Amino acid sequence: MTDASQGTSSGQGAVVTPAPKPVAPPPAATPVATTPSQGLPASHLLDQLARIEDKCSRIEDKYARSEALLSRVEDKVENAANRMNESARQSDLAALRTEMRGLADRTRRLPGTGALVLTAVITAILTVVLMVSVQRLNLDRLISAPAATTGTTVQ
């Protein structure tokens, strides 16, 4: 690289004077907190790494304990939900048993098949006996005949 002060590119025999070197700034005070790679010994870095690993392992332990605690809580909640479902089923079953008991009591008071058949037979026999007695006693004229069967017309 050529500096503009070093001469022209025309190739005339101009004297080239070197550019003055920049003056280095005075050294600043060394900062108190240096980066780990600049001035700390290796043993100090290893100690820091060991402390970080120790903290990480403690955090992992806490996380594992938290997971175990959460899994126990989850199991307890699940068991409680199962018990609540079971008690709800039990109360539903108890209500159903009560309803079935009431229905059974009401149906027990109804007459049975034998009583219904006996009532039907007695009714049929009494109907036949009454119809025969009405015909024998000539009481069928008391039953008024329908208007369509009478042959006389009123004028």
PDB file of all heavy atoms in Angstrom, residues 57-71:
ATOM      1  N   SER A  57     -25.980 -30.186  39.705  1.00  0.00           N
ATOM      2  CA  SER A  57     -26.433 -31.458  40.290  1.00  0.00           C
ATOM      3  C   SER A  57     -27.493 -31.207  41.369  1.00  0.00           C
ATOM      4  O   SER A  57     -28.460 -31.956  41.488  1.00  0.00           O
ATOM      5  CB  SER A  57     -25.261 -32.245  40.855  1.00  0.00           C
ATOM      6  OG  SER A  57     -24.715 -31.581  41.978  1.00  0.00           O
ATOM      7  N   ARG A  58     -27.331 -30.123  42.158  1.00  0.00           N
ATOM      8  CA  ARG A  58     -28.361 -29.796  43.157  1.00  0.00           C
ATOM      9  C   ARG A  58     -29.681 -29.433  42.483  1.00  0.00           C
ATOM     10  O   ARG A  58     -30.751 -29.825  42.944  1.00  0.00           O
ATOM     11  CB  ARG A  58     -27.878 -28.675  44.066  1.00  0.00           C
ATOM     12  CG  ARG A  58     -26.923 -29.188  45.146  1.00  0.00           C
ATOM     13  CD  ARG A  58     -26.570 -28.107  46.131  1.00  0.00           C
ATOM     14  NE  ARG A  58     -25.407 -27.401  45.574  1.00  0.00           N
ATOM     15  CZ  ARG A  58     -25.100 -26.148  45.800  1.00  0.00           C
ATOM     16  NH1 ARG A  58     -25.860 -25.416  46.570  1.00  0.00           N
ATOM     17  NH2 ARG A  58     -24.030 -25.598  45.277  1.00  0.00           N
ATOM     18  N   ILE A  59     -29.589 -28.685  41.395  1.00  0.00           N
ATOM     19  CA  ILE A  59     -30.817 -28.321  40.661  1.00  0.00           C
ATOM     20  C   ILE A  59     -31.476 -29.571  40.097  1.00  0.00           C
ATOM     21  O   ILE A  59     -32.703 -29.727  40.154  1.00  0.00           O
ATOM     22  CB  ILE A  59     -30.486 -27.303  39.544  1.00  0.00           C
ATOM     23  CG1 ILE A  59     -30.131 -25.957  40.168  1.00  0.00           C
ATOM     24  CG2 ILE A  59     -31.656 -27.149  38.586  1.00  0.00           C
ATOM     25  CD1 ILE A  59     -29.586 -24.948  39.186  1.00  0.00           C
ATOM     26  N   GLU A  60     -30.670 -30.494  39.567  1.00  0.00           N
ATOM     27  CA  GLU A  60     -31.222 -31.752  39.044  1.00  0.00           C
ATOM     28  C   GLU A  60     -31.886 -32.550  40.156  1.00  0.00           C
ATOM     29  O   GLU A  60     -32.944 -33.156  39.961  1.00  0.00           O
ATOM     30  CB  GLU A  60     -30.129 -32.570  38.373  1.00  0.00           C
ATOM     31  CG  GLU A  60     -29.707 -32.030  37.030  1.00  0.00           C
ATOM     32  CD  GLU A  60     -28.528 -32.796  36.440  1.00  0.00           C
ATOM     33  OE1 GLU A  60     -27.974 -33.678  37.129  1.00  0.00           O
ATOM     34  OE2 GLU A  60     -28.177 -32.493  35.288  1.00  0.00           O
ATOM     35  N   ASP A  61     -31.267 -32.573  41.341  1.00  0.00           N
ATOM     36  CA  ASP A  61     -31.862 -33.279  42.480  1.00  0.00           C
ATOM     37  C   ASP A  61     -33.197 -32.655  42.866  1.00  0.00           C
ATOM     38  O   ASP A  61     -34.180 -33.354  43.116  1.00  0.00           O
ATOM     39  CB  ASP A  61     -30.914 -33.273  43.682  1.00  0.00           C
ATOM     40  CG  ASP A  61     -29.698 -34.151  43.473  1.00  0.00           C
ATOM     41  OD1 ASP A  61     -29.734 -35.012  42.561  1.00  0.00           O
ATOM     42  OD2 ASP A  61     -28.710 -33.970  44.216  1.00  0.00           O
ATOM     43  N   LYS A  62     -33.227 -31.331  42.923  1.00  0.00           N
ATOM     44  CA  LYS A  62     -34.487 -30.648  43.248  1.00  0.00           C
ATOM     45  C   LYS A  62     -35.540 -30.948  42.207  1.00  0.00           C
ATOM     46  O   LYS A  62     -36.710 -31.166  42.530  1.00  0.00           O
ATOM     47  CB  LYS A  62     -34.268 -29.131  43.352  1.00  0.00           C
ATOM     48  CG  LYS A  62     -33.551 -28.713  44.605  1.00  0.00           C
ATOM     49  CD  LYS A  62     -33.374 -27.201  44.650  1.00  0.00           C
ATOM     50  CE  LYS A  62     -32.619 -26.766  45.883  1.00  0.00           C
ATOM     51  NZ  LYS A  62     -32.450 -25.302  45.925  1.00  0.00           N
ATOM     52  N   TYR A  63     -35.138 -30.952  40.948  1.00  0.00           N
ATOM     53  CA  TYR A  63     -36.081 -31.260  39.863  1.00  0.00           C
ATOM     54  C   TYR A  63     -36.613 -32.683  40.007  1.00  0.00           C
ATOM     55  O   TYR A  63     -37.809 -32.923  39.844  1.00  0.00           O
ATOM     56  CB  TYR A  63     -35.383 -31.073  38.516  1.00  0.00           C
ATOM     57  CG  TYR A  63     -36.268 -31.351  37.336  1.00  0.00           C
ATOM     58  CD1 TYR A  63     -37.279 -30.470  36.977  1.00  0.00           C
ATOM     59  CD2 TYR A  63     -36.102 -32.502  36.581  1.00  0.00           C
ATOM     60  CE1 TYR A  63     -38.093 -30.730  35.893  1.00  0.00           C
ATOM     61  CE2 TYR A  63     -36.916 -32.765  35.501  1.00  0.00           C
ATOM     62  CZ  TYR A  63     -37.910 -31.876  35.154  1.00  0.00           C
ATOM     63  OH  TYR A  63     -38.710 -32.142  34.101  1.00  0.00           O
ATOM     64  N   ALA A  64     -35.727 -33.631  40.328  1.00  0.00           N
ATOM     65  CA  ALA A  64     -36.154 -35.023  40.504  1.00  0.00           C
ATOM     66  C   ALA A  64     -37.124 -35.139  41.679  1.00  0.00           C
ATOM     67  O   ALA A  64     -38.127 -35.851  41.606  1.00  0.00           O
ATOM     68  CB  ALA A  64     -34.938 -35.919  40.710  1.00  0.00           C
ATOM     69  N   ARG A  65     -36.811 -34.423  42.801  1.00  0.00           N
ATOM     70  CA  ARG A  65     -37.724 -34.455  43.946  1.00  0.00           C
ATOM     71  C   ARG A  65     -39.077 -33.838  43.581  1.00  0.00           C
ATOM     72  O   ARG A  65     -40.126 -34.345  43.977  1.00  0.00           O
ATOM     73  CB  ARG A  65     -37.107 -33.733  45.140  1.00  0.00           C
ATOM     74  CG  ARG A  65     -36.014 -34.524  45.828  1.00  0.00           C
ATOM     75  CD  ARG A  65     -35.644 -33.928  47.176  1.00  0.00           C
ATOM     76  NE  ARG A  65     -35.210 -32.545  47.109  1.00  0.00           N
ATOM     77  CZ  ARG A  65     -33.944 -32.145  47.015  1.00  0.00           C
ATOM     78  NH1 ARG A  65     -32.989 -33.049  46.997  1.00  0.00           N
ATOM     79  NH2 ARG A  65     -33.646 -30.864  46.970  1.00  0.00           N
ATOM     80  N   SER A  66     -39.037 -32.762  42.816  1.00  0.00           N
ATOM     81  CA  SER A  66     -40.291 -32.123  42.399  1.00  0.00           C
ATOM     82  C   SER A  66     -41.096 -33.055  41.513  1.00  0.00           C
ATOM     83  O   SER A  66     -42.326 -33.152  41.640  1.00  0.00           O
ATOM     84  CB  SER A  66     -40.011 -30.826  41.645  1.00  0.00           C
ATOM     85  OG  SER A  66     -39.362 -29.902  42.475  1.00  0.00           O
ATOM     86  N   GLU A  67     -40.410 -33.748  40.606  1.00  0.00           N
ATOM     87  CA  GLU A  67     -41.114 -34.706  39.748  1.00  0.00           C
ATOM     88  C   GLU A  67     -41.728 -35.824  40.578  1.00  0.00           C
ATOM     89  O   GLU A  67     -42.870 -36.224  40.339  1.00  0.00           O
ATOM     90  CB  GLU A  67     -40.152 -35.298  38.726  1.00  0.00           C
ATOM     91  CG  GLU A  67     -40.052 -34.524  37.450  1.00  0.00           C
ATOM     92  CD  GLU A  67     -39.265 -35.284  36.398  1.00  0.00           C
ATOM     93  OE1 GLU A  67     -38.515 -36.223  36.736  1.00  0.00           O
ATOM     94  OE2 GLU A  67     -39.398 -34.909  35.224  1.00  0.00           O
ATOM     95  N   ALA A  68     -40.987 -36.328  41.538  1.00  0.00           N
ATOM     96  CA  ALA A  68     -41.514 -37.398  42.394  1.00  0.00           C
ATOM     97  C   ALA A  68     -42.718 -36.900  43.183  1.00  0.00           C
ATOM     98  O   ALA A  68     -43.729 -37.598  43.304  1.00  0.00           O
ATOM     99  CB  ALA A  68     -40.428 -37.905  43.334  1.00  0.00           C
ATOM    100  N   LEU A  69     -42.621 -35.692  43.704  1.00  0.00           N
ATOM    101  CA  LEU A  69     -43.735 -35.113  44.456  1.00  0.00           C
ATOM    102  C   LEU A  69     -44.957 -34.932  43.563  1.00  0.00           C
ATOM    103  O   LEU A  69     -46.082 -35.273  43.951  1.00  0.00           O
ATOM    104  CB  LEU A  69     -43.310 -33.775  45.061  1.00  0.00           C
ATOM    105  CG  LEU A  69     -44.365 -33.047  45.894  1.00  0.00           C
ATOM    106  CD1 LEU A  69     -44.693 -33.855  47.134  1.00  0.00           C
ATOM    107  CD2 LEU A  69     -43.862 -31.670  46.284  1.00  0.00           C
ATOM    108  N   LEU A  70     -44.734 -34.415  42.370  1.00  0.00           N
ATOM    109  CA  LEU A  70     -45.853 -34.231  41.447  1.00  0.00           C
ATOM    110  C   LEU A  70     -46.480 -35.562  41.041  1.00  0.00           C
ATOM    111  O   LEU A  70     -47.704 -35.658  40.896  1.00  0.00           O
ATOM    112  CB  LEU A  70     -45.395 -33.466  40.201  1.00  0.00           C
ATOM    113  CG  LEU A  70     -45.197 -31.974  40.402  1.00  0.00           C
ATOM    114  CD1 LEU A  70     -44.639 -31.340  39.141  1.00  0.00           C
ATOM    115  CD2 LEU A  70     -46.500 -31.297  40.782  1.00  0.00           C
ATOM    116  N   SER A  71     -45.663 -36.591  40.866  1.00  0.00           N
ATOM    117  CA  SER A  71     -46.231 -37.891  40.509  1.00  0.00           C
ATOM    118  C   SER A  71     -47.047 -38.456  41.669  1.00  0.00           C
ATOM    119  O   SER A  71     -48.101 -39.063  41.462  1.00  0.00           O
ATOM    120  CB  SER A  71     -45.144 -38.868  40.082  1.00  0.00           C
ATOM    121  OG  SER A  71     -44.338 -39.222  41.182  1.00  0.00           O
TER     122      SER A  71
END
